Amino acid sequence: MKYTRQNIIDILLKSYEAYYNITDYGTSREPLRALCEYYEHAEKYMVSKKVSLWSADSEEFIYLFDVPHLTKELFEECKKTAYEDGMNQMHIGPGHMYSYITPIIVCDTCDEDAVKALKKCRIYKSFHFSLHGWMDFHAAAVIGDSDRIECNHAGRTTAKILKKVLFSKK
């Protein structure tokens, strides 16, 4: 059974809704369909919460794109949108440990040069020599007509999760 783009997006949004704050844009920001935000705060304190030993903040921003046919130019546009918006969303400072910006592009078909550009995509940034954490860019594409999931090197865990969510139900 082949999934349509809409089925894939619905399944992903349903699986993310338990852990992520989801903003569904519908067709207002095409090709961006939804933004899923996850925030986590961990802290260790001694005797009372006023004496904090350490704290760590983690965040992830998943940008879900809905594209009929993925080209290299369209991939670059999606990458730029996710990167710029994600950098503006981050809360960098003391206690920030890491942020992940994750564009997931759901398409019916794609050009092979778009897949090559996706696989070559490497964006990593550290803040104040990693004292204020780092940012990693996890990119993935779900190609509906062939049930393929492609990702960049940093996005391997994202691809693994996508395969489990989408294809374990068949």
Side-chain angles (χ1 to χ4, degrees), residues 66-109:
D66 182 4
V67 177
H69 180 77
L70 182 64
T71 62
K72 183 178 179 182
E73 294 76 26
L74 197 51
F75 167 72
E76 295 296 333
E77 181 184 319
C78 293
K79 178 176 90 169
K80 181 181 176 194
T81 300
Y83 177 76
E84 289 175 355
D85 192 63
M87 291 300 286
N88 290 331
Q89 298 270 351
M90 284 195 276
H91 302 94
I92 307 302
H96 175 259
M97 188 163 74
Y98 65 83
S99 293
Y100 295 145
I101 298 174
T102 308
I104 298 175
I105 303 166
V106 180
C107 59
D108 290 326
T109 57

Side-chain angles (χ1 to χ4, degrees), residues 9-28:
I9 289 169
D10 290 342
I11 291 168
L12 290 177
L13 289 176
K14 182 115 176 95
S15 70
Y16 288 141
E17 74 183 359
Y19 303 102
Y20 290 78
N21 300 326
I22 297 174
T23 306
D24 193 343
Y25 296 114
T27 58
S28 66

Side-chain angles (χ1 to χ4, degrees), residues 3 8 11-12 15-16 104 106 118-119 139-143 146-152 155-170:
Y3 288 125
I8 292 169
I11 291 168
L12 290 177
S15 70
Y16 288 141
I104 298 175
V106 180
L118 174 99
K119 287 182 175 184
V142 180
I143 305 159
S146 59
D147 289 344
R148 245 170 72 193
I149 295 176
E150 298 290 346
C151 65
N152 66 351
R156 289 176 300 169
T157 55
T158 302
K160 191 175 179 180
I161 292 167
L162 289 171
K163 285 176 186 172
K164 186 178 276 188
V165 167
L166 294 172
F167 304 127
S168 66
K169 296 179 182 184
K170 283 189 170 183

